[in-house]
Amino acid sequence: MATVIDGKAVAQTIRSEIADEVRLLSQKYGKVPGLAVVIVGNRKDSQSYVGMKRKACAELGIKSFDIDLPEQVSQAEVINQVHDLNANPDVHGILVQLPLPKHINEEKVLTEISIEKDVDGFHPLNIGKLAMKGRDPLFLPCTPKACIELLQRSGVSIKGKKAVVVGRSNIVGLPASLLLLKADATVTIVHSHTSQPESIIREADIVIAAAGQPMMIKGNWIKPGAAVIDVGTNAVDDPTKKSGYRLVGDVDFQEASKVAGWITPVPGGVGPMTVTMLLKNTLDGAKRDIEQNN
Amino acid sequence: MATVIDGKAVAQTIRSEIADEVRLLSQKYGKVPGLAVVIVGNRKDSQSYVGMKRKACAELGIKSFDIDLPEQVSQAEVINQVHDLNANPDVHGILVQLPLPKHINEEKVLTEISIEKDVDGFHPLNIGKLAMKGRDPLFLPCTPKACIELLQRSGVSIKGKKAVVVGRSNIVGLPASLLLLKADATVTIVHSHTSQPESIIREADIVIAAAGQPMMIKGNWIKPGAAVIDVGTNAVDDPTKKSGYRLVGDVDFQEASKVAGWITPVPGGVGPMTVTMLLKNTLDGAKRDIEQNN
């Protein structure tokens, strides 16, 4: 049976490390990290994510700047807000919650975020530096960074291992594969045009599943002893639940946990780690800024 | 026996396409593309590459701006030259021949090149856009672009194929793998920390070899019918030659050509294509600029 990686517990450990560092910064410089979270409109899921992020800031002593804009706000006004936050010395990280309403061009808004405050790590300049040997981005995208942290803190070595990333989104799959490559894994990227993905996944010592396909990866696709990080969070109908649904990953956990060496559950695996990595990025940005200017 | 891909002939075809477009631009707008090639010091190999590039410009009607700086030039002076070229409206592409002397930081110089004139495509912002879905870089790095052109013009389809890139340099391996991924191949990147590379290469429908290891890839590592693009250009001792050496690729051509479906020779494969892609990038930059401003 696989070791189940407890993302909640790892996240808790890292959060208390962050809280310690925030206290030190505050004692030494009288300053704390600041994270601005911009939300446009009333999407329930977005509001719930944003609420989680703001609550987590409060718990760790990070100052949260709440920018709540109405659904009808113009693109120019969103960009103005971003510029104000870029100029605000108390803000070390800026996060614009996606998706934005259809009349706003997300790419245009995101590229306005100052590279020094891009705690999501989505700026193409950050991704380019992540891809290139000998260059280091200011921030790593949160979910891929969470996957690597979970592997490292579980004692899984990456160097020289065969790693397969399932999915190639800009937010997870692509940067995760670049991070694994930087850590000297032999990396294969599997996606919707891959024929017989199971034959490739079966060779992998490390699998990062980020396809958004509920339980697509079966137990017999997993190499015995492999480390399986499941980024998928899919709602499937479940009449036995009060809500009418439950969350499952991209991996069939029941089956795969009998074969794998390590596996993350859904929920309770990567999820709690992602927000934690956002807080860590904000701390890192604040440290860079405060230590440079004091 | 494999079809030997004649890089010289493909390059010649593309060069005559470029010459036609240069003539059209000149007729319509009275302007021609301009490429600035900056060389520092007296390295023989660099001078020979630069000479080739300048000669190729002349043949196609592209105006060449020759900046020859002495070995002892300061970093600040090189950067000044780059700024002048950025500001010069007749220059559409800027190439700084590498390597630079040790007292000059290459990264610092290269990031000063205006992104609109970065015909080498090495700027991290360009690489980031190359990596990301839905984004397009202004320029593709020349050698990876050459590899894809050779595949496409030889009728090799990429979508859904298994591709293996051997080597992960910023200049060839990494961007080549990103380009193959964008073309919907299932991509694996093999490098110095990969164990048993032969077992991975044997699965590949497309192999791009860019490891800089003379004849490392043997005939029995190649899947029958695969397309093999050999980027390696390695000098090996050969007492039967007047020069005392000959050039070989990363692939054992003799053996591999008996197994592969397509293969590029060394020399005469990727080599002649790389300079051609630089000229194509310069043309594309000039078209963007001239058509926007007229």
Side-chain angles (χ1 to χ4, degrees):
Chain A
M1 282 295 288
T3 301
V4 176
I5 299 176
D6 184 345
K8 256 192 186 160
V10 177
Q12 206 41 60
T13 305
I14 298 176
R15 285 187 189 202
S16 80
E17 293 167 7
I18 296 172
D20 289 346
E21 291 211 59
V22 170
R23 253 191 309 277
L24 277 176
L25 269 184
S26 171
Q27 283 163 12
K28 196 164 168 194
Y29 301 105
K31 288 185 181 165
V32 295
L35 175 66
V37 181
V38 179
I39 180 170
V40 179
N42 306 307
R43 281 180 67 116
K44 280 235 170 97
D45 54 348
S46 292
Q47 286 188 321
S48 136
Y49 294 138
V50 164
M52 243 164 41
K53 289 166 188 174
R54 289 172 177 168
K55 182 163 161 276
C57 281
E59 284 167 9
L60 304 193
I62 294 174
K63 186 163 163 52
S64 168
F65 294 76
D66 304 349
I67 315 292
D68 294 69
L69 301 171
E71 180 80 22
Q72 306 76 15
V73 70
S74 70
Q75 176 171 309
E77 178 52 26
V78 179
I79 289 177
N80 273 344
Q81 292 280 350
V82 168
H83 289 171
D84 285 353
L85 296 167
N86 283 344
N88 185 338
D90 294 330
V91 171
H92 304 100
I94 301 170
L95 181 136
V96 175
Q97 183 66 42
L98 302 182
L100 293 172
K102 288 224 172 77
H103 66 281
I104 297 178
N105 182 324
E106 289 184 355
E107 185 181 333
K108 286 220 170 110
V109 172
L110 294 181
T111 47
E112 292 298 320
I113 298 175
S114 152
I115 190 93
E116 282 82 21
K117 302 189 179 185
D118 174 35
V119 280
D120 255 341
F122 293 160
H123 194 290
L125 190 56
N126 257 333
I127 299 290
K129 288 184 175 181
L130 174 56
M132 291 170 87
K133 224 192 292 193
R135 307 284 181 102
D136 286 301
L138 287 174
F139 299 105
L140 298 179
C142 300
T143 305
K145 183 173 175 171
C147 297
I148 302 293
E149 274 293 331
L150 286 174
L151 289 170
Q152 286 173 337
R153 294 200 181 225
S154 305
V156 177
S157 70
I158 299 173
K159 189 172 182 162
K161 296 294 174 63
K162 276 190 187 175
V164 171
V165 178
V166 186
R168 52 172 169 171
S169 69
N170 288 339
I171 295 174
V172 187
L174 175 83
S177 58
L178 296 174
L179 267 175
L180 288 165
L181 183 64
K182 252 193 178 156
D184 291 332
T186 299
V187 181
T188 304
I189 304 156
V190 159
H191 49 77
S192 54
H193 292 289
T194 300
S195 60
Q196 299 185 286
E198 61 275 25
S199 68
I200 297 168
I201 294 167
R202 255 184 218 122
E203 301 280 317
D205 304 304
I206 296 169
V207 178
I208 294 188
Q213 299 290 332
M215 300 202 279
M216 143 191 183
I217 296 173
K218 309 298 173 199
N220 64 9
W221 294 20
I222 302 294
K223 179 177 172 178
V228 179
I229 305 291
D230 191 353
V231 181
T233 309
N234 312 287
V236 296
D237 291 340
D238 185 344
T240 73
K241 302 270 172 182
K242 222 162 97 184
S243 59
Y245 72 89
R246 68 193 160 96
L247 294 180
V248 300
D250 289 353
V251 178
D252 185 329
F253 181 87
Q254 256 350 65
E255 286 183 12
S257 59
K258 291 177 194 149
V259 189
W262 297 263
I263 190 166
T264 60
V266 176
V270 176
M273 282 292 288
T274 294
V275 176
T276 304
M277 292 297 106
L278 174 70
L279 303 170
K280 181 77 165 67
N281 277 349
T282 304
L283 169 67
D284 290 346
K287 279 166 67 180
R288 250 196 308 262
D289 176 60
I290 294 171
E291 286 167 5
Q292 250 172 28
N293 295 309
N294 280 279
Chain B
M1 282 294 289
T3 300
V4 177
I5 299 177
D6 183 345
K8 255 192 187 163
V10 177
Q12 205 42 60
T13 305
I14 298 176
R15 286 187 188 202
S16 81
E17 292 167 9
I18 296 172
D20 289 346
E21 291 211 60
V22 170
R23 254 191 309 276
L24 277 175
L25 270 182
S26 171
Q27 282 163 13
K28 197 165 167 193
Y29 300 104
K31 289 186 179 163
V32 295
L35 175 66
V37 180
V38 179
I39 180 171
V40 179
N42 305 307
R43 281 180 66 114
K44 280 235 170 100
D45 54 348
S46 291
Q47 286 189 321
S48 136
Y49 294 138
V50 163
M52 243 164 40
K53 290 166 187 173
R54 289 172 177 168
K55 181 163 161 277
C57 281
E59 284 167 9
L60 305 193
I62 294 175
K63 186 164 162 51
S64 168
F65 294 76
D66 304 348
I67 316 292
D68 294 69
L69 301 171
E71 181 81 21
Q72 305 77 14
V73 71
S74 70
Q75 177 171 308
E77 177 53 24
V78 178
I79 290 178
N80 272 345
Q81 291 282 349
V82 168
H83 289 172
D84 285 352
L85 296 168
N86 283 343
N88 185 339
D90 294 330
V91 171
H92 304 100
I94 301 170
L95 180 138
V96 176
Q97 183 67 42
L98 302 182
L100 292 172
K102 288 223 171 80
H103 66 281
I104 299 179
N105 182 323
E106 289 185 353
E107 185 180 334
K108 286 221 170 110
V109 171
L110 294 182
T111 47
E112 293 297 321
I113 297 175
S114 153
I115 191 92
E116 281 83 22
K117 302 189 179 185
D118 175 36
V119 280
D120 255 341
F122 293 160
H123 195 289
L125 191 56
N126 256 333
I127 299 291
K129 289 186 175 180
L130 173 58
M132 293 170 84
K133 225 192 289 194
R135 307 283 181 103
D136 286 301
L138 287 174
F139 299 105
L140 299 179
C142 299
T143 305
K145 183 173 174 171
C147 297
I148 303 293
E149 274 295 330
L150 286 174
L151 290 169
Q152 288 174 336
R153 295 202 181 223
S154 306
V156 177
S157 70
I158 299 174
K159 190 171 182 162
K161 296 294 175 60
K162 277 192 187 172
V164 171
V165 177
V166 187
R168 52 172 169 171
S169 69
N170 288 339
I171 295 176
V172 187
L174 175 84
S177 58
L178 297 173
L179 266 176
L180 288 164
L181 183 64
K182 253 194 177 155
D184 291 331
T186 300
V187 181
T188 303
I189 304 155
V190 160
H191 49 77
S192 54
H193 293 287
T194 300
S195 61
Q196 298 185 288
E198 61 274 26
S199 68
I200 297 168
I201 295 168
R202 256 183 217 121
E203 301 280 316
D205 304 304
I206 296 169
V207 178
I208 294 187
Q213 301 290 332
M215 300 202 280
M216 139 190 187
I217 297 173
K218 309 298 173 198
N220 64 8
W221 294 22
I222 301 295
K223 179 177 172 179
V228 179
I229 305 291
D230 190 353
V231 181
T233 309
N234 312 287
V236 296
D237 290 340
D238 186 344
T240 74
K241 301 271 173 182
K242 222 162 100 184
S243 60
Y245 72 91
R246 69 193 159 96
L247 294 180
V248 300
D250 289 352
V251 178
D252 185 328
F253 182 85
Q254 257 348 65
E255 285 183 14
S257 59
K258 291 176 193 150
V259 188
W262 297 263
I263 190 166
T264 60
V266 175
V270 176
M273 282 291 288
T274 294
V275 175
T276 304
M277 293 297 105
L278 173 71
L279 302 170
K280 182 75 165 68
N281 277 348
T282 304
L283 169 68
D284 290 346
K287 279 165 68 180
R288 251 195 309 264
D289 175 61
I290 293 171
E291 285 166 6
Q292 251 172 28
N293 294 310
N294 280 279

